[in-house]
Each structure stands twice: as structure tokens, then as C-alpha cells.
Amino acid sequence: MNFIKFDPDDNFYFHKGISKRVSETGASWPHYHGLYEIYFMLEGSCTYFIDNKVYNIQAGDIVIIPDGTIHHTKYEDIKHSRILLNCTEKYIPSVFPLSTSKEDCLFRNPYISEEAKKIFEKIESEYRLKDSLSDEILICHTHSLFYLLIRNRDSFVSADNENSV
């Protein structure tokens, strides 16, 4: 099977909403990136297929997919909202365990989802601004997101819905 490599032209890419192709088909194609993907489900739910594992994603979940990892999504109900970030490693703090992130790609903690949402709003605002300081500020905001995940790792809710494909 051939897999599509999708990479934006930049080291950092932000998208909020749903792509036209996904809204028409209810699914994305199996693909991978040369960049990390950070996915935040704002509303709704979906099934995420990541490296031969299946995850049922719900509102408030954050999924982090390492570069080169084959993944795709399937939506039963197109009425949902999500944020996608693609970025290079420089936007991820060195204390985040990149080597284990394939095993621990789903982060579910309803207690931090509002704080995470605020960080994503700051990221979106800075991404759209694009001035001479934006890249450094985007690094700070994405680092804040990862520090939030790291600091609250002991209170993550188990996602018992993980299955192998």
C-alpha cells in the first residue's frame, strides 16, 4: 500500500476546522509527515488509526504523532471541530519524551482541556499575526502546551479503548 507524505511548506502549520476532503468522505487517507502532528479535538469524536493501533478520540483529547508515523482519522459524524498543528522538533521541549511518544500518543485529561484550549487560541493568534517575533512566540506557546501535558501526566485518564488493527 502506498502512503501519502503530506508536509506543509513551513516548519510550523496551524489549521482549525475540517478540510473539505475529510468533510466529504468522513475520513482522511493514511499518510505521514516529516513533521510532528499535534491534534486537539475541540468538539465531537473520531477514530484515530495510528501505527496499527486504534484510538477513540473525544472532545478535549490531545494526540501527538511523531514524524514518519502512518496515521489517519475516521469521523462517523462530520459535526466536529478540531485543531491540527504540524511542527518540527524545535517546537517541542527537550524534556518531552519523544522516544516514547508512539506508545503514549493520546493525552486525555478533562481537567486541563480548558487550559489547553487557551494555549491553542494563543498559538492560533500568533500564527495568524506572523511578524518578526512570531516564530519565537510560537515556540514558547507550544512549549507551554507540552509542559502542561508533562506536569499533569499523573492525572491523565486511561483510554481503555485502544485496540490493535
Side-chain angles (χ1 to χ4, degrees):
M1 175 182 255
N2 290 332
F3 298 105
I4 298 167
K5 181 179 182 187
F6 167 73
D7 278 331
D9 294 332
D10 209 350
N11 289 330
F12 192 93
Y13 171 77
F14 178 94
H15 179 77
K16 185 176 183 180
I18 189 73
S19 72
K20 183 178 181 195
R21 179 180 43 78
V22 171
S23 68
E24 290 171 351
T25 64
S28 65
W29 297 315
H31 64 281
Y32 65 98
H33 311 279
L35 303 172
Y36 285 79
E37 179 168 298
I38 304 165
Y39 179 102
F40 181 53
M41 180 63 82
L42 291 166
E43 297 176 279
S45 61
C46 76
T47 304
Y48 225 123
F49 302 88
I50 304 168
D51 210 22
N52 295 320
K53 290 186 181 176
V54 180
Y55 300 89
N56 294 315
I57 307 303
Q58 60 191 32
D61 286 354
I62 297 173
V63 179
I64 299 172
I65 303 169
D67 58 342
T69 303
I70 297 168
H71 62 281
H72 70 284
T73 52
K74 183 173 189 220
Y75 300 89
E76 295 299 325
D77 183 4
I78 298 302
K79 293 183 181 184
H80 71 279
S81 178
R82 49 87 166 139
I83 292 173
L84 282 177
L85 297 180
N86 293 103
C87 63
T88 62
E89 226 175 89
K90 84 175 188 177
Y91 296 89
I92 302 171
S94 60
V95 295
F96 189 75
L98 293 175
S99 61
T100 62
S101 56
K102 278 192 181 183
E103 292 82 33
D104 303 323
C105 62
L106 173 59
F107 299 87
R108 177 174 292 158
N109 186 335
Y111 303 108
I112 66 166
S113 62
E114 282 304 312
E115 190 172 348
K117 187 176 181 179
K118 289 176 185 173
I119 294 171
F120 279 106
E121 288 169 356
K122 290 178 182 179
I123 290 170
E124 179 180 16
S125 178
E126 195 59 44
Y127 181 77
R128 296 192 189 295
L129 181 62
K130 292 186 180 178
D131 68 12
S132 62
L133 294 175
S134 289
D135 193 53
E136 292 299 321
I137 294 171
L138 285 170
I139 290 170
C140 289
H141 290 326
T142 55
H143 279 205
S144 292
L145 177 66
F146 281 94
Y147 293 139
L148 178 68
L149 296 176
I150 293 165
R151 178 174 275 163
N152 292 281
R153 68 181 169 262
D154 292 337
S155 61
F156 283 114
V157 177
S158 175
D160 294 333
N161 53 2
E162 178 186 324
N163 300 306
S164 292
V165 176

